[in-house]
Each structure stands twice: as C-alpha cells, then as structure tokens.
Amino acid sequence: VTGMHIPQGNETYVSELAQLLASNAVGKMPSVRTVAACLAGAYGWMLAAVILAAIPGRLLWIALLMAVRGFLLAFAAAAVLTQSGLLGVYICLVSIGISAVLWLPAMLLTSTAVLDVGMNQQRNGYLFSLKRNGSVLVISAILLLGSVLWRLLAVPVLMGLVGA
C-alpha cells in the first residue's frame, strides 16, 4: 500500500500483543494517560485543521495535513497486514478500519468547513466566521468521540479475542 517492503514475520508478536491487550482490558477502565493520548490523537487532527485554515496558504496546508493522515493510515494498515497475514485483516478491521469509518468523515467535514470559512471569512475575522459552521464542527467532534470510545472500550476487548 505504501510501497515499502516490510519483512514477513511470524505471528508470535501479534499473539503477544493481543494477549497483552487482553490482560490489560480484563475488567479495567483505560488509564488516564491512555484516554488523554487517545483524545489528543483524535482531536489533535481536527484542531490542526482549524489552525492551518487560518494561516495563508490554507489550501496547501490542509492538503498536506490530509496527505499525512492518509499516509499514516495506509502505513499502519500495511504494516499490520504484512506482519501478521490473515490475522492482520481482523486486526486492521478492529483497530483501524472501524475507527476510520468514524474519524475520516469527521476529518473531511472539518477540513471542508474550515476551508470554506478561511476562503470566505468576513471582516470580523476567522474565529467569528468559524461560528457560522459550528454545527459541522460539533458533528465532527461527535464522530471523533465515537472513534475515541471505540478505540478505548471495544478494541482492547476485540483484540483480546485474538490472544485468547
């Protein structure tokens, strides 16, 4: 997918990772550090789009942001699929795919909304004009919250099924 060659490995690494996730997920809520990292990972991209659309060259910066996010998604999926074979399909679907179904529309909605505001901002300024698309940003935030909840609550349990 990314054009990189990742050597085939055995499935012991995947099994060990799945067992570690399963042991950490049994009857426990995620740690504060894990929640903070997950929230920062999800909402950081949205915040970056809002900030990048406010500076000159916004089309280039938003396109670059989307390209980096897409590359990271493709790289992660390719690495998991290559390293773990058929088991990687399940791992990608659980840990990357379903989460992407939620954050990808949020990212596209946010980028489109902030680009629209940046291109058509009124003389009151960017932040004031951003309120015009507030409902789109709220929908994006809700989608990202769904992605975060999926990663925090469902992924450890479903990954644990692999290690069981």
Side-chain angles (χ1 to χ4, degrees):
V1 174
T2 62
M4 296 185 66
H5 172 69
I6 300 171
Q8 271 314 89
N10 58 19
E11 293 184 10
T12 58
Y13 300 120
V14 177
S15 299
E16 289 174 12
L17 176 63
Q19 287 173 353
L20 177 66
L21 280 170
S23 67
N24 288 338
V26 176
K28 295 182 184 176
M29 289 301 289
S31 68
V32 173
R33 181 178 176 199
T34 302
V35 171
C38 200
L39 286 170
Y43 288 99
W45 293 98
M46 185 175 173
L47 182 62
V50 170
I51 291 169
L52 290 173
I55 60 176
R58 62 186 56 86
L59 288 172
L60 174 68
W61 298 122
I62 294 293
L64 183 63
L65 180 73
M66 298 297 283
V68 167
R69 185 68 166 142
F71 173 79
L72 291 175
L73 173 67
F75 182 79
V80 170
L81 286 171
T82 304
Q83 182 67 26
S84 55
L86 290 177
L87 185 60
V89 173
Y90 175 77
I91 293 170
C92 280
L93 180 65
V94 168
S95 64
I96 299 170
I98 295 175
S99 180
V101 167
L102 295 169
W103 67 253
L104 186 60
M107 187 79 176
L108 293 172
L109 282 171
T110 300
S111 296
T112 304
V114 296
L115 277 175
D116 178 54
V117 168
M119 303 285 254
N120 302 316
Q121 60 183 307
Q122 302 165 355
R123 62 186 160 102
N124 295 333
Y126 175 75
L127 291 178
F128 182 78
S129 298
L130 196 60
K131 291 180 184 176
R132 193 176 45 153
N133 288 332
S135 59
V136 173
L137 297 177
V138 168
I139 290 169
S140 296
I142 291 169
L143 286 169
L144 288 173
L145 180 62
S147 174
V148 166
L149 291 174
W150 173 263
R151 281 194 253 156
L152 289 173
L153 302 176
V155 170
V157 173
L158 293 173
M159 290 290 288
L161 296 176
V162 175

